[in-house]
């Protein structure tokens, strides 16, 4: 399985759950390939605003340890597609349905806007309800190894 990898530090362990924070721009994040390099993309994903990310910890890493965190490439792509394409599609379909409902009336733009808004709201609810299916256990980031 192809994995996106990023360096991180274990920041806390609570009730058996391990949390890490990403390190700066690991790998090739600082060079010319940073817009297409999977390592740089994963590092930017983890470090937009330093925050703790829950990960699987099969190696029993302890607080303060520097580790390499991995995420299956397929999981990243599926989640990105769902989060970006579902709302966009729902917006367009909702707007089209709003136009259809308005017929040839004067309030076509209002109906299209309300339909688009309804589509966005429904897509947000769908994403929230089905988030667990988007990220089953195998799609959660995992600590791959310790850094020396």
């Amino acid at each position: 399985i192809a994995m996106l990898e990023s360096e991180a530090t274990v920041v806390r362990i609570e009730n058996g759950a391990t949390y890490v924070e990403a390190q700066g721009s690991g790998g090739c994040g600082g060079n010319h390939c940073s817009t297409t390099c999977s390592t740089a993309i994963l590092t930017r994903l983890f470090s937009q605003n330093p925050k703790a990310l829950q990960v699987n910890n099969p190696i029993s890493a302890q607080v303060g340890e520097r580790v390499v965190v991995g995420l299956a490439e397929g999981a990243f792509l599926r989640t990105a597609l769902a989060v970006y394409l579902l709302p966009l599609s729902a917006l367009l379909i909702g707007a089209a349905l709003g136009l259809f409902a308005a017929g040839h009336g004067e309030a076509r733009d209002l109906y299209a806007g309300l339909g688009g808004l309804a589509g966005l709201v429904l897509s947000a609810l769908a994403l929230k309800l089905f988030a667990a299916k988007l990220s089953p256990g195998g799609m959660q980031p995992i600590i791959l190894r310790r850094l020396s």
Side-chain angles (χ1 to χ4, degrees), residues 103-120:
H104 294 291
E106 293 182 18
R108 289 176 52 113
D109 290 343
L110 176 63
Y111 278 81
L114 290 175
L117 182 61
L120 281 176

Side-chain angles (χ1 to χ4, degrees), residues 27-143:
C28 66
N31 68 20
H32 69 281
C33 71
S34 65
T35 57
T36 57
C37 174
S38 61
T39 302
I41 291 169
L42 184 62
T43 300
R44 280 195 311 273
L45 170 72
F46 285 153
S47 58
Q48 286 294 330
N49 293 319
K51 62 180 180 179
L53 174 70
Q54 185 176 349
V55 297
N56 287 336
N57 186 6
I59 65 169
S60 301
Q62 298 301 310
V63 174
E65 285 189 296
R66 291 184 55 227
V67 295
V68 174
V69 176
L71 177 67
E73 245 178 50
F76 178 74
L77 293 174
R78 278 189 296 278
T79 303
L81 285 174
V83 169
Y84 289 106
L85 289 182
L86 180 63
L88 178 61
S89 300
L91 169 76
L92 295 174
I93 291 169
L97 289 173
L99 280 175
F100 179 74
H104 294 291
E106 293 182 18
R108 289 176 52 113
D109 290 343
L110 176 63
Y111 278 81
L114 290 175
L117 182 61
L120 281 176
V121 169
L122 289 175
S123 69
L125 291 173
L127 285 172
K128 188 167 182 79
L129 289 173
F130 298 111
K133 291 187 186 227
L134 286 174
S135 299
M139 293 172 62
Q140 184 175 10
I142 184 170
I143 295 176

